Amino acid sequence: DAGVTQSPTHLIKTRGQQVTLRCSPISGHKSVSWYQQVLGQGPQFIFQYYEKEERGRGNFPDRFSARQFPNYSSELNVNALLLGDSALYLCASSPDRGRVQETQYFGPGTRLLVL
Amino acid sequence: GIQVEQSPPDLILQEGANSTLRCNFSDSVNNLQWFHQNPWGQLINLFYIPSGTKQNGRLSATTVATERYSLLYISSSQTTDSGVYFCAVEETSGSRLTFGEGTQLTVNP
């Protein structure tokens, strides 16, 4: 079975530009979460989506937005890029939202560099 | 929000040595996972362990939920064990994972 997939693998943008990152969850998983990992730190939660609705949001500015599609895939959009947005963006999927004893599975990530 | 602290931040071992990594958390949790992040950034699930003890080959983990800590044991370490080990917890009030800062493990041949 395919794991969580993300595209693109790498991306270079300049300040002020906009970027869209994509994620496909494990087949049968309905929940998708996004995390940002800055070099040398642990991943930080950005969003969780379940059944196309936002179920959680981390401490990120409104420049960050996301959506989930009927097939449960998801996009993360970041507008007006800043140098500090350079990071590894990770997508995770899980079968359901809010259930106790639920494991999250992570994709390989998208490395974003903002120049 | 919940705080997650991992120790030690860095660990250097010779191949064949054993090690213990610790994760302390500040509140009750629904979920605790241990991950290994490889040099390419992939987070690999090691254990889902909100309480109790589990073993998988040379790795084992124990979580004492009442005392708010978890331990990851690596025995007979190999060079391929090198990388960053993260502990992540899910609060009882939500479904997001909060990660610690990780333990950077280097296993030398």
Side-chain angles (χ1 to χ4, degrees), chain A residues 21-74:
Chain A
L21 311 181
R22 296 175 176 83
C23 171
S24 292
I26 293 172
S27 178
H29 286 194
K30 298 181 179 180
S31 175
V32 170
S33 298
W34 288 95
Y35 292 79
Q36 180 197 64
Q37 186 178 17
V38 174
L39 192 63
Q41 298 181 15
Q44 298 288 319
F45 173 77
I46 310 175
F47 286 110
Q48 185 195 39
Y49 274 77
Y50 175 72
E51 292 283 10
K52 295 173 289 181
E53 291 189 6
E54 181 183 308
R55 294 297 188 179
R57 184 184 183 114
N59 188 24
F60 281 81
D62 292 343
R63 300 185 295 107
F64 288 77
S65 64
R67 56 180 175 169
Q68 187 177 31
F69 299 98
N71 66 354
Y72 303 111
S73 67
S74 178

Side-chain angles (χ1 to χ4, degrees), chain A residues 16 80 92 101-102:
Chain A
Q101 301 184 7
E102 182 175 292

Side-chain angles (χ1 to χ4, degrees), chain B residues 82-96:
Chain B
S82 296
V84 184
Y85 289 79
F86 287 104
C87 166
V89 302
E90 174 187 328
E91 300 177 59
T92 55
S93 59
S95 55
R96 66 187 66 182

